[in-house]
């Protein structure tokens, strides 16, 4: 594992005095800069803290918020909450899938996009909604989904 | 004159940033300031600006964009209050009949500035509570009749009293802000729009219980709420409202924020505690209750965001004033999040006891496109669908439970004739089976089996015995599961079978989806008499299923068609019809 990653994990571990109890926060921090929880990261946390790697993987795999695979630079989260469902979120998911050409959970070959279905984003009044990184897009139609993705592609010069 | 711009997640997603840009551009060089406030609950008209005149009159302007925002600002500069974009009287009826306690600061104060909260009476309740002492605080909460707003409706004072009675060196106050119920967003709105109200409530609970640490367990999906909570806590510390010996009272308190990692079951308090300890969020049997053995095995009082947000009002106005609102068993107000097929969706805070009809029709203006209402879903994945002829049920914990739904956290999803009830049941079962933590067999395996049956039914492969099997399984899961998630998971299925059995039967016996929603049971067809042959639909179709000659009727290849609905929304002549059951080829 490259030493830069080790240094970053070391810096995270310094913030918490009880790694057992703060495991979720530690993993959130690691995912924050790595984009996901890698096998190497888990092994290094075990090495440094003594928290068993099985326990770490147990926690990482339990919560939907943790990813065990890399994500794209733009992480598209299509809301599958109740209000969105009633207002057609399934079609929005299908549209993202069609436009990107990848299944939920996968990353495009250029590493630019990944997408997933998520539980409620809490923006029910503007359903159907999706979130790309930290930005929420609401009142979606298939056209709007396509144009949002295309404008990101344009910005990135693809 | 004041300009209050709604700047919550939903406002920002609707374009509040460009409105801000427009207003600031137009106001450059003047004394006018735009204040960023939280969501005022009129989500249907976002982005919204409230203009408050010097004489205190208020006017709401909605659905703004950069251009209309500039127009508004230019008129104001000329001393006019324009009619364009002003919310109509009909739309303003949304606020009639509302009584705002929890939401009183949302949309009124600047959540990123503690002074704004203090100017509006913030932290006076904390001072009062410090002089009252623990026993009197608990007594006042008891008189108020406040019950847990997270779903179960457990009397708040009993939780506080038992945590107080537990003897320990260290005790904890935990705010359950893991708003995982899809369709509920009141906690997000309060945390984003008025974070201090929740923090003040937690501190008063700390005085009552004898705790000096407050932990907020908040969803990571709410980044703006997390940011504003952090700011609020920082500002409290600077003002000396946090830390040791607050207001020279001898009372010390501090906060920690923990971000949830995305597990619905963590709304259950023992699962939440497991998660706080860095573990998989799996519930354990009670007793011991968290009030006896909670975080770090110490006495812990856990309440929901909305419960804490009521506390400062009760301390200031007295428990009796709170208890004067509502019904016999359910006091005070409740915030409801209206969404789905409703005309004016948003946040509604009303005294308990109003009927569902009053909320949906009088306040929220009825159904989109004036369609026929079919049902209202309450309580999310733990709740149920209440059919239209029961919508005059007064809303309190007991009456809602009698329908088979639950009050839950207050999400209300309105459904019209286009909503298929079997599909809804499948939707919720899909959710709970994914969110089941897997610890107990009835929930882990039972929800999966129920989901499999529902998936068969919507595909047209249902068998006559399926309905009875679902009821049987549902009842067993309800009694056999370990925690609230499992105990309530069958509710959406059981209530839809109870009230909409005919829809299940239509799917099973006639292979027909009456709402024309289930894709395996429907077919799209172009009405040759209505089709003008404009070719728009065929260009729009993502799977090239539509073909024909310009100016003569087009046809849809049923084998290729994925029933995505694009052609229907494209056709200007209403020529595409949806068939289910009879008439299908």
């Amino acid at each position: 594992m490259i030493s830069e990653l080790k240094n970053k994990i070391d810096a995270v571990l310094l913030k918490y005095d009880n790694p057992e109890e703060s495991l979720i926060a530690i993993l959130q921090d690691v995912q924050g800069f790595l984009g996901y929880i890698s096998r190497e990261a888990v092994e290094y946390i075990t090495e440094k803290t003594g928290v068993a790697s099985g326990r770490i993987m147990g926690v990482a795999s339990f919560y939907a918020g943790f990813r065990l695979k890399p994500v794209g630079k733009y992480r598209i989260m299509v809301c599958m909450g109740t209000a969105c469902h009633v207002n057609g979120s399934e079609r929005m998911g299908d549209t993202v899938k069609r436009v990107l050409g990848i299944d939920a959970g996968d990353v495009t070959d250029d590493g630019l996009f990944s997408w997933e279905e998520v539980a409620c984003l809490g923006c029910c009044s503007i359903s159907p909604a999706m979130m790309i990184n930290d930005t929420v897009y609401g009142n979606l139609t298939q056209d709007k989904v396509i144009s949002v993705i295309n404008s990101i592609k344009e910005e990135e010069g693809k | 004159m004041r300009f209050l711009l709604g700047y919550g997640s939903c406002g920002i997603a609707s374009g509040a940033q460009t409105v801000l840009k427009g207003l600031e551009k137009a106001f450059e060089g003047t004394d006018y300031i735009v204040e960023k406030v939280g969501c005022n609950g009129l989500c249907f008209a976002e982005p919204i600006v409230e203009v408050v005149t010097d004489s205190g009159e208020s006017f709401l302007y909605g659905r703004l964009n950069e251009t209309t925002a500039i127009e508004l600002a230019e008129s104001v500069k000329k001393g006019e209050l324009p009619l364009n974009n002003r919310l109509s009287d009909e739309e303003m009826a949304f606020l009639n009949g509302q009584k705002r306690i929890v939401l009183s600061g949302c949309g009124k104060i600047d959540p990123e500035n503690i002074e704004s909260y203090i100017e509006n009476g913030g932290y006076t309740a904390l001072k009062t509570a410090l002089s009252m002492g623990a026993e009197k605080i608990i007594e006042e909460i008891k008189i108020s009749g406040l019950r847990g707003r997270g779903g179960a409706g457990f009397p708040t004072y009993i939780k506080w009293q038992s945590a107080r009675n537990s003897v320990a060196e260290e005790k904890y106050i935990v705010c359950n802000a893991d708003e995982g119920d899809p369709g509920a967003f009141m906690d997000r709105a309060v945390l984003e729009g008025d974070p201090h109200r929740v923090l003040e409530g937690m501190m008063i609970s700390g005085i009552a219980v004898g705790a000096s640490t407050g932990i907020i367990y908040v969803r990571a999906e709410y980044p703006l709420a997390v940011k504003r909570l952090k700011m609020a806590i920082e500002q409290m510390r600077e003002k000396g409202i946090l830390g040791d010996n607050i207001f020279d009272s001898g009372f010390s308190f501090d906060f920690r924020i923990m971000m949830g990692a995305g597990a619905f079951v963590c709304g259950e308090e023992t699962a939440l505690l497991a998660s706080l300890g860095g573990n998989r969020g799996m519930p354990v049997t009670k007793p011991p209750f968290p009030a006896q053995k909670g975080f770090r095995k110490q006495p812990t009082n856990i309440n929901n965001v909305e419960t804490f947000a009521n506390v400062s009002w009760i301390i200031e106005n007295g428990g009796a004033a709170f208890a004067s609102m509502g019904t016999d068993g359910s006091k005070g107000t409740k915030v409801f999040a209206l969404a789905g097929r409703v005309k004016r969706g948003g946040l509604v805070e009303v005294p308990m006891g109003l009927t569902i009809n009053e909320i949906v029709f009088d306040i929220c203006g009825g159904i989109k496109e004036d369609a026929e209402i079919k049902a209202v879903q309450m309580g999310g994945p733990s709740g149920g669908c209440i059919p239209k002829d029961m919508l005059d049920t007064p809303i309190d914990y007991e009456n809602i439970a009698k329908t088979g739904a639950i009050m839950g956290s207050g999400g209300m999803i309105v459904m019209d004739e286009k909503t298929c009830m079997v599909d809804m049941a499948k939707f919720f079962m899909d959710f709970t089976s994914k969110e089941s933590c897997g610890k107990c067999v009835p929930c882990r395996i039972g929800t999966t089996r129920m989901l499999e049956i529902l998936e068969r039914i919507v595909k047209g492969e249902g068998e006559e015995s399926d309905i009875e099997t679902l009821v049987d399984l549902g009842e067993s899961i309800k009694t056999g599961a370990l925690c609230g998630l499992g105990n309530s998971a069958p509710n959406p299925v059981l209530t839809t079978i109870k009230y909409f059995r005919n829809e299940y039967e239509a799917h099973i016996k006639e292979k027909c989806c009456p709402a024309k929603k289930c894709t395996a049971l429907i077919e799209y067809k172009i009405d040759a008499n209505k089709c003008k042959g404009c070719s728009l639909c065929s260009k729009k179709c993502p799977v090239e299923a539509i073909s024909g000659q310009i100016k003569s009727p087009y046809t849809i290849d049923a084998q290729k068609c994925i029933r995505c609905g694009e052609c229907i929304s494209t056709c200007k002549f209403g020529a595409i019809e949806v068939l289910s059951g009879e008439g299908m080829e």
Side-chain angles (χ1 to χ4, degrees):
Chain A
M1 187 169 48
I2 46 169
S3 60
E4 192 199 332
L5 182 60
K6 283 187 178 178
N7 289 343
K8 279 185 174 170
I9 295 178
D10 285 337
V12 167
L13 294 176
L14 274 179
K15 281 167 58 186
Y16 304 98
D17 43 18
N18 183 347
E20 286 273 354
E21 187 182 287
S22 307
L23 185 57
I24 291 174
I26 291 171
L27 293 177
Q28 282 168 336
D29 285 358
V30 170
Q31 184 166 278
F33 59 77
L34 197 59
Y36 71 111
I37 307 293
S38 70
R39 179 108 213 166
E40 292 77 20
V42 171
E43 279 163 10
Y44 188 65
I45 296 171
T46 301
E47 186 189 317
K48 293 292 282 188
T49 62
V51 179
S53 54
R55 180 162 128 61
I56 302 177
M57 284 308 289
V59 168
S61 61
F62 181 83
Y63 293 97
F66 292 122
R67 301 176 295 274
L68 304 174
K69 285 199 290 189
V71 286
K73 181 176 176 189
Y74 295 91
R75 180 177 164 223
I76 304 177
M77 290 156 270
V78 181
C79 181
M80 292 289 155
T82 319
C84 289
H85 179 80
V86 172
N87 282 321
S89 60
E90 241 167 301
R91 273 159 54 189
M92 301 309 131
D94 288 345
T95 309
V96 174
K97 181 176 168 172
R98 211 170 60 230
V99 174
L100 298 180
I102 51 168
D103 283 325
D106 289 344
V107 189
T108 52
D109 289 337
D110 57 8
L112 209 52
F113 294 100
S114 61
W115 81 279
E116 61 211 273
E117 294 177 352
V118 295
C120 189
L121 293 172
C123 293
C124 315
S125 53
I126 50 169
S127 61
M130 66 176 180
M131 188 148 112
I132 303 184
N133 296 341
D134 272 350
T135 309
V136 178
Y137 298 85
N139 296 318
L140 295 176
T141 59
Q142 300 192 56
D143 283 343
K144 192 166 168 188
V145 170
I146 295 169
S147 84
V148 168
I149 293 175
N150 283 342
S151 66
I152 292 174
K153 280 185 182 167
E154 243 168 67
E155 246 173 65
E156 293 283 336
K158 300 266 172 176
Chain B
M1 196 176 281
R2 297 175 66 198
F3 298 87
L4 310 174
L5 170 64
Y7 220 69
S9 295
C10 42
I12 294 171
S14 310
Q17 275 161 313
T18 59
V19 172
L20 180 67
K21 210 167 97 189
L23 290 174
E24 285 182 339
K25 206 191 283 175
F27 284 151
E28 218 181 310
T30 70
D31 292 338
Y32 296 118
I33 304 167
V34 184
E35 298 169 58
K36 286 188 273 181
V37 296
C39 169
N40 64 8
L42 288 89
C43 309
F44 62 90
E46 301 246 45
I48 286 188
V49 171
E50 181 178 3
V51 181
V52 186
T53 65
D54 295 333
S55 59
E57 265 188 297
S58 151
F59 299 92
L60 285 165
Y61 291 88
R63 302 179 188 89
L64 294 168
N65 55 37
E66 192 173 344
T67 319
T68 50
I70 292 174
E71 282 168 16
L72 169 65
E74 292 300 338
S75 307
V76 169
K77 284 199 311 203
K78 285 186 223 147
E80 293 162 16
L81 282 167
L83 287 172
N84 280 351
N85 291 92
R86 193 192 287 184
L87 263 54
S88 67
D89 289 346
E90 194 199 330
E91 288 176 315
M92 292 299 288
F94 185 81
L95 292 170
N96 296 349
Q98 291 206 43
K99 166 69 192 166
R100 294 192 159 194
I101 293 175
V102 173
L103 298 179
S104 58
C106 288
K108 298 287 174 198
I109 66 156
D110 177 356
E112 299 190 358
N113 181 0
I114 192 171
E115 299 300 339
S116 179
Y117 182 64
I118 293 174
E119 277 163 28
N120 284 277
Y123 293 111
T124 49
L126 177 65
K127 286 182 189 156
T128 311
L130 282 167
S131 64
M132 284 166 77
E135 291 300 341
K136 272 175 99 177
I137 295 172
I138 294 176
E139 183 58 26
E140 215 52 56
I141 298 294
K142 182 179 177 181
I143 294 169
S144 77
L146 178 64
R147 294 169 66 174
R149 297 294 193 244
F154 194 76
T156 304
Y157 86 94
I158 297 182
K159 276 192 169 184
W160 290 22
Q161 188 67 60
S162 44
R164 173 162 180 76
N165 292 347
S166 302
V167 181
E169 287 274 307
E170 181 76 63
K171 297 182 190 178
Y172 297 95
I173 303 295
V174 173
C175 175
N176 183 349
D178 193 42
E179 187 173 49
D181 174 358
F185 51 99
M186 63 284 290
D187 292 352
R188 174 181 64 73
V190 175
L191 293 170
E192 285 179 1
D194 199 2
H196 287 285
R197 186 172 303 274
V198 181
L199 299 174
E200 187 174 7
M202 287 178 74
M203 287 178 80
I204 294 170
S205 175
I207 302 169
V209 166
S212 56
T213 305
I215 306 170
I216 305 138
Y217 186 93
V218 57
R219 289 183 85 195
E221 288 90 337
Y222 290 174
L224 189 62
V226 174
K227 180 187 146 199
R228 288 187 177 159
L229 278 168
K230 284 183 178 164
M231 288 177 84
I233 292 169
E234 235 12 83
Q235 292 175 5
M236 286 170 83
R237 208 185 308 283
E238 282 164 21
K239 293 272 313 172
I241 302 175
L242 264 193
D244 292 331
N245 194 19
I246 297 160
F247 301 140
D248 279 329
S249 63
F251 173 68
S252 303
F253 203 82
D254 215 332
F255 285 107
R256 276 175 43 186
I257 295 176
M258 155 122 187
M259 280 197 284
F264 176 66
V265 69
C266 288
E268 202 279 340
E269 51 186 17
T270 61
L272 189 151
L273 287 171
S275 184
L276 274 182
N279 298 302
R280 291 161 71 97
M282 289 169 144
V284 290
T285 44
K286 295 188 269 194
F289 290 94
Q292 293 138 5
K293 225 178 202 182
F295 182 56
R296 293 182 179 160
K297 299 200 167 54
Q298 301 304 311
T300 303
N301 175 50
I302 307 178
N303 289 128
N304 155 276
V305 171
E306 193 184 332
T307 313
F308 281 127
N310 274 303
V311 170
S312 60
W313 192 94
I314 293 170
I315 295 299
E316 265 181 88
N317 298 277
F322 192 82
S324 72
M325 292 176 283
T327 63
D328 281 349
S330 308
K331 302 296 186 189
T333 63
K334 176 79 193 84
V335 183
F336 294 98
L338 270 288
R341 302 290 302 159
V342 69
K343 216 178 249 176
R344 296 196 285 270
L347 290 175
V348 173
E349 183 173 359
V350 289
M352 297 268 194
L354 252 71
T355 67
I356 304 172
N357 264 332
E358 284 173 305
I359 293 182
V360 173
F361 288 94
D362 299 349
I363 293 178
C364 296
I367 312 303
K368 275 184 188 169
E369 293 146 24
D370 289 320
E372 186 75 20
I373 191 169
K374 186 177 198 171
V376 171
Q377 210 282 345
M378 276 188 77
S382 312
C385 290
I386 303 172
K388 80 174 166 197
D389 52 11
M390 289 177 73
L391 296 181
D392 51 1
T393 305
I395 301 173
D396 61 25
Y397 291 98
E398 280 69 30
N399 275 308
I400 296 299
K402 271 187 215 152
T403 68
I406 60 163
M407 176 84 89
S409 52
M412 271 195 193
I413 309 284
V414 179
M415 298 163 180
D416 67 4
E417 293 296 337
K418 285 181 191 158
T419 314
C420 169
M421 302 319 271
V422 187
D423 175 69
M424 272 332 287
K426 185 193 85 159
F427 167 80
F428 284 118
M429 201 42 79
D430 181 53
F431 179 85
T432 32
S433 68
K434 279 180 190 154
E435 294 293 340
S436 169
C437 80
K439 184 168 177 172
C440 75
V441 174
C443 177
R444 181 181 72 235
I445 301 178
T447 56
T448 306
R449 291 291 98 85
M450 285 182 82
L451 176 63
E452 285 166 357
I453 296 173
L454 291 164
E455 279 174 339
R456 260 203 347 255
I457 297 176
V458 300
K459 269 194 239 157
E461 294 162 9
E463 294 158 16
E464 296 229 3
S465 59
D466 279 347
I467 299 179
E468 293 330 309
T469 314
L470 282 173
V471 173
D472 238 31
L473 265 172
E475 295 298 345
S476 318
I477 296 168
K478 276 183 86 148
T479 45
L482 170 67
C483 81
L485 187 148
N487 297 145
S488 60
N491 286 349
V493 181
L494 296 176
T495 52
T496 46
I497 290 179
K498 185 171 166 192
Y499 300 120
F500 300 96
R501 196 184 180 99
N502 57 337
E503 285 195 35
Y504 280 84
E505 286 169 348
H507 281 75
I508 294 170
K509 292 183 191 157
E510 295 149 39
K511 311 296 172 204
C512 161
C513 174
K516 296 177 179 170
K517 169 88 174 77
C518 297
T519 48
L521 300 179
I522 57 171
E523 199 174 275
Y524 287 7
K525 206 176 163 193
I526 296 176
D527 183 340
N529 295 322
K530 288 185 185 164
C531 178
K532 307 277 186 213
C534 73
S535 84
L536 266 186
C537 60
S538 101
K539 286 185 186 124
K540 201 82 188 188
C541 177
V543 290
E544 295 174 2
I546 308 178
S547 57
Q549 292 291 320
I550 287 281
K551 289 188 181 163
S552 41
Y554 276 61
T555 51
I556 299 177
D557 181 341
Q559 297 301 315
K560 282 189 189 167
C561 174
I562 54 169
R563 297 150 186 95
C564 70
E566 270 300 272
C567 51
I568 297 179
S569 40
T570 308
C571 182
K572 293 188 181 104
F573 312 104
I576 297 159
E577 38 181 13
V578 185
L579 306 172
S580 185
E582 256 174 73
M584 271 173 64
E585 280 158 22

